[in-house]
């Protein structure tokens, strides 16, 4: 099984260090900064084999070059966005598989937040590293893609097994949940989830990982087909994409 270390960095980012004990290979997802990664590698006596990038934003690729210089690791990212991924060595395509030792990740293109966003799904570990595509109770802002593209991207993630653990890159959960409650104030799963989230944040604990099952029950961006949600925003009988677009607009102005 993959060992996963979660490092809170900057204001609200997470860096994830992945270690495969069988092969002793180590990877890092979206290293915003280098020092906490180097410190972890040193204390664990691990050497870095790979950087896995989800997208080109600086809070995800910021330490690419320094870590490559310091560790000799390979940088893995989306081939179609290779010009914007500093130091990229391995260029992935949609539906490629990439190995960390004996652990295999399936790669999905998820345009929306950026056009070149990808996610990494380790099926046998039931974990998804989804960058800024899916957040707990939210989704990434549409900086480059359309609502339609993001909706299609999220449909791919929605179809993964419900027990999948959701490792996103930002701790935005509490604010996302406050917005979600304005759309579905009577959603019991959401009310219970927010009690847990508020408790964790008051103790400065992470709310990540979430699970896909929890997200399907609470995340408005996965619940565009909920009649109660549609009613609360006056979007009954509209297309899924139109409802999704409306939810995104409301969140952008929340
Ligand atoms: Fe981003
Ligand atoms: Zn980000």
């Amino acid at each position: 099984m993959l060992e996963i270390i979660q490092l809170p960095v900057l204001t609200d980012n997470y860096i994830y260090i992945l270690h495969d004990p069988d092969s002793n290979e180590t990877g890092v997802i979206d290293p915003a900064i280098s020092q906490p990664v180097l410190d972890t590698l040193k204390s664990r006596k691990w050497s870095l084999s790979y950087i896995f990038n989800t997208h080109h934003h600086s809070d995800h690729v910021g330490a690419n070059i320094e870590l490559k210089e310091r560790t000799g690791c390979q940088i893995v990212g989306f081939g179609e966005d290779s010009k914007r991924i500093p130091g990229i060595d391995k260029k992935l395509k949609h539906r490629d598989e990439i190995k960390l030792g004996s652990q295999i990740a399936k790669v999905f293109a998820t345009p929306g937040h950026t056009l070149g966003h990808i996610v990494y799904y380790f099926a046998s570990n039931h974990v998804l590293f989804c960058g800024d595509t899916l957040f707990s109770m939210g989704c990434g802002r549409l900086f480059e893609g359309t609502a339609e593209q993001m909706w299609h991207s999220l449909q791919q993630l929605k179809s993964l097994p419900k027990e999948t653990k959701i490792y996103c890159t930002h701790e935005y959960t509490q604010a996302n949940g406050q917005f979600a409650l304005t759309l579905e104030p009577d959603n019991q799963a959401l009310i219970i989830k927010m009690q847990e989230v508020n408790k964790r944040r008051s103790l400065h604990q992470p709310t990540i990982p979430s699970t896909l099952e929890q997200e399907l029950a609470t995340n408005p961006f996965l619940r565009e087909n909920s009649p109660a949600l549609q009613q609360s925003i006056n979007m009954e009988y509209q297309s899924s994409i139109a409802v999704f677009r409306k939810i995104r607009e409301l969140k952008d102005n929340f």
Side-chain angles (χ1 to χ4, degrees):
M1 281 304 262
L2 266 184
E3 198 173 328
I4 301 171
I5 295 180
Q6 181 171 26
L7 302 173
V9 299
L10 306 179
T11 316
D12 50 35
N13 277 67
Y14 290 117
I15 298 174
Y16 300 106
I17 298 185
L18 317 183
H19 182 71
D20 171 40
D22 299 334
S23 64
N24 213 27
E25 286 203 329
T26 302
V28 60
I29 306 269
D30 284 350
I33 55 174
S34 61
Q35 202 55 54
V37 177
L38 293 167
D39 291 345
T40 305
L41 294 170
K42 193 174 174 193
S43 70
R44 298 276 177 148
K45 300 187 169 62
W46 292 344
S47 65
L48 191 62
S49 310
Y50 297 107
I51 292 171
F52 300 109
N53 289 133
T54 63
H55 66 294
H56 74 90
H57 285 157
S58 62
D59 60 321
H60 299 252
V61 302
N64 272 22
I65 298 298
E66 191 185 344
L67 286 175
K68 186 172 171 173
E69 283 172 4
R70 297 278 293 264
T71 69
C73 70
Q74 287 212 306
I75 298 177
V76 179
F78 193 30
E80 284 182 32
D81 217 4
S82 58
K83 288 200 177 66
R84 301 195 291 181
I85 305 289
I88 190 168
D89 298 295
K90 253 188 194 210
K91 298 176 183 179
L92 299 172
K93 302 187 303 291
H94 178 53
R95 298 196 157 272
D96 268 355
E97 288 186 342
I98 175 94
K99 280 186 185 167
L100 177 70
S102 54
Q103 312 296 327
I104 298 171
K106 183 117 189 177
V107 174
F108 299 106
T110 57
H113 177 67
T114 67
L115 289 175
H117 197 297
I118 56 174
V119 302
Y120 298 88
Y121 172 55
F122 289 85
S124 58
N125 289 270
H126 306 291
V127 296
L128 174 71
F129 296 95
C130 49
D132 290 357
T133 294
L134 177 64
F135 294 128
S136 184
M137 295 187 277
C139 75
R141 276 177 188 267
L142 304 177
F143 286 120
E144 298 175 8
T146 63
E148 186 167 356
Q149 283 173 313
M150 185 59 121
W151 181 84
H152 281 290
S153 295
L154 292 173
Q155 296 314 297
Q156 295 183 83
L157 305 187
K158 250 175 144 168
S159 66
L160 297 175
K162 288 188 172 40
E163 65 269 29
T164 304
K165 290 200 183 85
I166 305 297
Y167 286 91
C168 55
T169 310
H170 291 279
E171 181 60 66
Y172 290 159
T173 311
Q174 194 169 36
N176 286 342
Q178 284 159 0
F179 169 71
L181 276 172
T182 66
L183 306 186
E184 291 192 288
D186 302 321
N187 177 338
Q188 282 307 307
L190 179 56
I191 292 165
I192 292 165
K193 169 96 177 172
M194 273 306 273
Q195 287 167 352
E196 177 65 22
V197 164
N198 290 336
K199 193 171 106 197
R200 280 179 172 269
R201 292 315 290 157
S202 70
L203 299 169
H204 306 288
Q205 292 172 353
T207 64
I208 308 300
S210 175
T211 65
L212 184 58
E213 184 168 31
Q214 288 173 29
E215 293 311 312
L216 291 169
T218 60
N219 189 327
F221 295 97
L222 303 182
R223 295 177 56 73
E224 77 285 356
N225 293 324
S226 150
L229 190 157
Q230 291 182 358
Q231 199 177 25
S232 86
I233 59 173
N234 294 316
M235 291 291 284
E236 292 153 291
Y237 314 114
Q238 307 282 324
S239 74
S240 299
I241 293 168
V243 177
F244 178 84
R245 183 181 298 118
K246 178 75 179 177
I247 299 169
R248 191 59 258 175
E249 281 168 14
L250 290 167
K251 176 66 168 63
D252 288 342
N253 296 305
F254 181 63

